C-alpha cells in the first residue's frame, strides 16, 4: 500500500525509488509490533473439546486399518490392522493405492489366516490363528511361499494346505487379551492396566477426580490402537464436572491457599481423540484453558515453542516458562527460552495474548470476570 501510494503521489524514477525505500522502512517498523493475532489461530472455543459422539454399538465385522507408513521415500508400505476378532497386528504389507489396506487369505474350514508382511527387516509372511490367538512369523520368501500354498490348496484343499503351513519354520507369539483387543505380550499397555477412575488429593483436602471416557470393549471406538496408549478422562473437582478433559493427573499445581489450581489437560475431538494439549486453570469458580503450544519471539524471530506452568498464585497469576525440544543422535534435549516474549492462545479471548518477563519466567494474569 505504501509503494502504490508513493508512486501515485510522485510518479517518476526517483518516486519509484522513494516508494521502495518507504516500503522497506514500513516493513521493518511493522515487524516490531505484536502481530500474534494474525499469526496464531484463534483461541476461545477452539481450546475446548468438541461435542463427543457416542461409541459404536457393535464391533466392526471385518478388518480395520489403523495406520500405515512407507519404508523410506516411496518404498514399500506396511500397515497396522485391527483384525475382525480384535487382534492388533503390525507390519502387514499394504495393497497400495489410496486405501493402503492389507489383505488376508483365509483358509476355509480352518482358523488360519495369512498375509504378506515385514518379518525380521525383510519381506516375509504373517500368519494368524484366529482360534488360538497366536501370531505366526514365517521367515519365507513370499513369492515362493504363495506359489507353493496355491498349489497345495488346488491339489489337496485348504485343510491340507493349513497343515502344510503349520509345518513351515516360524516363530509363534501368543497374544493377550486387553479390553476387547488381543495384543502382543510385550505391548506396554499390558503393563499399565486401564483405570476407571483417577484421583488427586489437593493440599487443602479437596479432590480432583477423573472418570474414564472409554467403553470396556475398545473395538467400539474409532481409535482402538491409540486408546491402548492414551486414555481420555472427564475431569471433576469435588464431584462437580468441569466439562474438561485430561489423560492423567500427573501434573497438578495448586496456589499456596488453594484458590488457583492448574492441571495438564487436553482437548478431544468428537471421537474422543486428544488433539490439543492445554493447561486447565480453575480460579474464582471457573475453568479456563491456556494452550501448551505457543510462539516465542517477535517478528521474523518468532518460532514455535512449548509452555510449562511453574507456579500459580492465589490472585490468579501464573508463572510460565517457554521451552523448545529437539532430538539428535545423543537423544532428546530441552532448552528454556530466556527473555523472550511468548504469544499464548487463551480461552477467554479470540486473539493471542503476548506475555514477557525477565529471565526464564513470564507471567500471565487470569481475567477476574
Amino acid at each position: 500500500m505504501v509503494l502504490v501510494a508513493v508512486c501515485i503521489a510522485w510518479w517518476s524514477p526517483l518516486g519509484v525509488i522513494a516508494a521502495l525505500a518507504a516500503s522497506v522502512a514500513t516493513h521493518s517498523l511493522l515487524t516490531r509490533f505484536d502481530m500474534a493475532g494474525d499469526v496464531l489461530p484463534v483461541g476461545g472455543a477452539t481450546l475446548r473439546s468438541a461435542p463427543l459422539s457416542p461409541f459404536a454399538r457393535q464391533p466392526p465385522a471385518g478388518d480395520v486399518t489403523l495406520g500405515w507408513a512407507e519404508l523410506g521415500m516411496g518404498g514399500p508400505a506396511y500397515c497396522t490392522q485391527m483384525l475382525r476378532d480384535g487382534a492388533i497386528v503390525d507390519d502387514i504389507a499394504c495393497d497400495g493405492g489410496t486405501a493402503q489396506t492389507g489383505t488376508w487369505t483365509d483358509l476355509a474350514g480352518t482358523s488360519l489366516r495369512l498375509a504378506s508382511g515385514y518379518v525380521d527387516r525383510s519381506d516375509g509372511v504373517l500368519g494368524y490363528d484366529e482360534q488360538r490367538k497366536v501370531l505366526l512369523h514365517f521367515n519365507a520368501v513370499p513369492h515362493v511361499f504363495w506359489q507353493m500354498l496355491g498349489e497345495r490348496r488346488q491339489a489337496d484343499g485348504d485343510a491340507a494346505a493349513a497343515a502344510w503351513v503349520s509345518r513351515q519354520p516360524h516363530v509363534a507369539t501368543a497374544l493377550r487379551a486387553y479390553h476387547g483387543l488381543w495384543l502382543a505380550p510385550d505391548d506396554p499397555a499390558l503393563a499399565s492396566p486401564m483405570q476407571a477412575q483417577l484421583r488427586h488429593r489437593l493440599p487443602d483436602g479437596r479432590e480432583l477426580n477423573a472418570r474414564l471416557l472409554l467403553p470396556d470393549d475398545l473395538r467400539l471406538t474409532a481409535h482402538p490402537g491409540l486408546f491402548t496408549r492414551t486414555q481420555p478422562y472427564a475431569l471433576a473437582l469435588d464431584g462437580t464436572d468441569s466439562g474438561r478433559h485430561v489423560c492423567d493427573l500427573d501434573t497438578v499445581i495448586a496456589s499456596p491457599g488453594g484458590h488457583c489450581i492448574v492441571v495438564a489437560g487436553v482437548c478431544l475431538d468428537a471421537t474422543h481423540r486428544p488433539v490439543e494439549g492445554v493447561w486447565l486453570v480453575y480460579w474464582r469458580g471457573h475453568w479456563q484453558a491456556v494452550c501448551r503450544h505457543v510462539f516465542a519471539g517477535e517478528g521474523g524471530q518468532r518460532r514455535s515453542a512449548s509452555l510449562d506452568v511453574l507456579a500459580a498464585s492465589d490472585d490468579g497469576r501464573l508463572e510460565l516458562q517457554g521451552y523448545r525440544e529437539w532430538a539428535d543422535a545423543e537423544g532428546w534435549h530441552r532448552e528454556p527460552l530466556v527473555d523472550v516474549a511468548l504469544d499464548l492462545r487463551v480461552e477467554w479471548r479470540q486473539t493471542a495474548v503476548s506475555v514477557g518477563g525477565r529471565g526464564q519466567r513470564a507471567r500471565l494474569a487470569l481475567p477476574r470476570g
Side-chain angles (χ1 to χ4, degrees), residues 50-55 269-272:
L52 303 181
S53 300
F55 297 110
D269 67 9
T271 63
H272 296 69

Side-chain angles (χ1 to χ4, degrees), residues 11-12 18 26 39 43 64-66 113 122 129 144 157 209 246 268 289 293 360:
W11 181 244
S12 70
T26 302
V39 175
V64 178
T65 297
L66 304 180
R113 310 184 71 194
S122 61
D129 190 317
V144 175
N209 53 77
V246 298
L268 307 179
H293 171 78
Q360 296 180 6

Side-chain angles (χ1 to χ4, degrees), residues 336-349:
L337 302 177
V338 181
D339 295 327
V340 175
L342 303 176
D343 296 328
L344 318 177
R345 291 167 55 198
V346 295
E347 185 179 347
W348 57 87
R349 55 183 279 177

